[in-house]
Amino acid sequence: MSNSVIKADNIIKKYGRNYALVGVSVEIEKGRIYGLLGRNGAGKSTLMNIITNRVFATSGRCTLDGEDLLENDKALNRIYAMSESVTMPAGLTFKQAVNITADFYGGFDKDYAYSLAEKFKLDPKKRLSALSTGYLTVSKLILTLASGADFLFFDEPVLGLDANHRDLFYRLLVERFAETQCGVVISTHLIEECENLVEDVIIIDKGKVLAAGKTEDILTDGYSVTGAKSLVCAYCQNKEVLCMKNIGTISSAYLKGTPENVPEGLEISRPDLQQVFINLTGEEGEQ
Ligand SMILES: Nc1ncnc2c1ncn2[C@@H]1O[C@H](COP(=O)(O)OP(=O)(O)OP(=O)(O)O)[C@@H](O)[C@H]1O
């Protein structure tokens, strides 16, 4: 039997005259970890919010296993989205937040949630309003990991977390993924941190999908060539150049495909995910 899949088909979202998404189509399969990468304002949150019905698309359709997700509580219950913005009333304690989430998500694992709270040293009796930014994020991460949903969406999951907690989160996520084979989407700017984690990448920019596919395919589908400007320009003739940068007399071009007949004097390198992102979007992801 094939894995469950969320499909977003030709999603357009307009705010007034501005387009937040311009015909976005993506597939998210259960049992895979996706990195949703894009610069500020690229449309990442809008896409996740449309899939989960927090925002409605201007046009286009989202489905889960072929069923329309629009106002479909049963299907939506199979997705848990941790959002950057606070979604629980701040007056609640973490314990109350656990109980409320468990009421909505039948597969919620309270024991697991409390075991995670212990690992992060989060006191379940504390009110959410009394938590630091980092611990508020921790509380949301725990609710997401313990939700038991088939698909877990994380929007900037490590916001405000210190290095130890970030590391702990990534380890717990991998463990949970291995146990449950859920589908995971991580929307983040911290590309280097999640590079080894994400099997699939969706890069969006200005509301459009620039690249989507297996991380290794995306990494091997392009290369950088660096050297004297005249040599680089000559080499790039009749090739698909995705990005070109000049520093004085030296040029660096990012090309699609694999290198061939490279003349002497040019250096070839394979960019990592962060560099691919920069090359495609023309901007450095935040560190
Ligand atoms: N409620 C809204 N009203 C008007 N414009 C909006 C609204 N929400 C989002 N936008 C616009 O839609 C575009 C996409 O925003 P979105 O929040 O999806 O980007 P993002 O990739 O998640 O960005 P970030 O990484 O900064 O959170 C941006 O231009 C944003 O200003």
Side-chain angles (χ1 to χ4, degrees):
M1 210 181 85
S2 61
N3 262 343
S4 283
V5 62
I6 294 172
K7 288 186 187 176
D9 185 22
N10 201 17
I11 303 295
I12 293 175
K13 176 64 186 175
K14 275 176 91 174
Y15 285 109
R17 286 174 162 192
N18 300 323
Y19 283 86
L21 296 176
V22 196
V24 166
S25 297
V26 293
E27 292 196 8
I28 297 155
E29 205 182 310
K30 191 169 177 278
R32 303 194 70 81
I33 302 181
Y34 294 79
L36 179 59
L37 312 177
R39 294 171 58 190
N40 288 122
K44 306 180 296 293
S45 303
T46 305
L47 178 61
M48 294 210 265
N49 286 336
I50 287 174
I51 293 173
T52 54
N53 277 212
R54 287 176 183 174
V55 167
F56 294 104
T58 306
S59 66
R61 187 169 177 248
C62 296
T63 56
L64 171 49
D65 293 341
E67 267 189 50
D68 207 314
L69 275 164
L70 194 65
E71 292 174 2
N72 180 344
D73 287 345
K74 192 163 166 258
L76 287 169
N77 219 254
R78 294 179 58 198
I79 308 170
Y80 190 100
M82 173 210 169
S83 107
E84 214 183 316
S85 53
V86 180
T87 44
M88 287 274 176
L92 294 181
T93 63
F94 175 73
K95 195 170 173 208
Q96 287 168 324
V98 163
N99 288 335
I100 288 176
T101 312
D103 285 344
F104 281 97
Y105 287 83
F108 192 93
D109 187 338
K110 286 188 185 182
D111 291 339
Y112 174 64
Y114 290 127
S115 77
L116 294 189
E118 217 173 295
K119 284 194 171 118
F120 279 103
K121 300 192 170 42
L122 168 70
D123 177 0
K125 292 192 210 85
K126 263 205 164 172
R127 289 192 192 284
L128 301 179
S129 56
L131 297 177
S132 64
T133 310
Y135 267 104
L136 193 57
T137 301
V138 164
S139 70
K140 292 194 229 172
L141 290 175
I142 295 175
L143 295 177
T144 312
L145 286 168
S147 67
D150 286 336
F151 292 90
L152 309 182
F153 288 5
F154 295 93
D155 197 355
E156 296 296 347
V158 294
L159 196 74
L161 294 197
D162 63 33
N164 291 342
H165 277 171
R166 292 216 297 258
D167 185 56
L168 178 57
F169 162 66
Y170 289 126
R171 277 190 286 125
L172 292 168
L173 176 63
V174 170
E175 262 174 45
R176 191 66 174 162
F177 171 75
E179 276 163 25
T180 64
Q181 284 299 300
C182 53
V184 175
V185 181
I186 305 171
S187 163
T188 184
H189 293 109
L190 299 169
I191 299 169
E192 277 177 334
E193 277 191 18
C194 71
E195 178 164 2
N196 295 328
L197 196 74
V198 299
E199 303 168 289
D200 294 77
V201 178
I202 300 165
I203 298 179
I204 66 173
D205 193 44
K206 299 185 187 81
K208 289 184 184 159
V209 176
L210 288 188
K214 291 198 173 61
T215 311
E216 60 183 74
D217 291 346
I218 285 179
L219 290 177
T220 52
D221 191 32
Y223 62 100
S224 290
V225 50
T226 307
K229 197 172 178 178
S230 54
L231 270 182
V232 172
C233 287
Y235 178 78
C236 287
Q237 292 286 318
N238 303 320
K239 294 191 175 63
E240 196 175 341
V241 181
L242 299 171
C243 159
M244 172 86 89
K245 284 176 196 157
N246 300 308
I247 306 168
T249 55
I250 301 292
S251 289
S252 179
Y254 178 61
L255 296 98
K256 213 170 155 53
T258 46
E260 51 191 47
N261 305 325
V262 182
E264 223 167 282
L266 288 185
E267 195 181 309
I268 300 290
S269 59
R270 289 269 180 207
D272 60 19
L273 193 55
Q274 171 102 349
Q275 287 162 330
V276 169
F277 177 82
I278 295 165
N279 287 333
L280 292 179
T281 63
E283 195 64 41
E284 202 147 347
E286 278 173 22
Q287 291 296 300

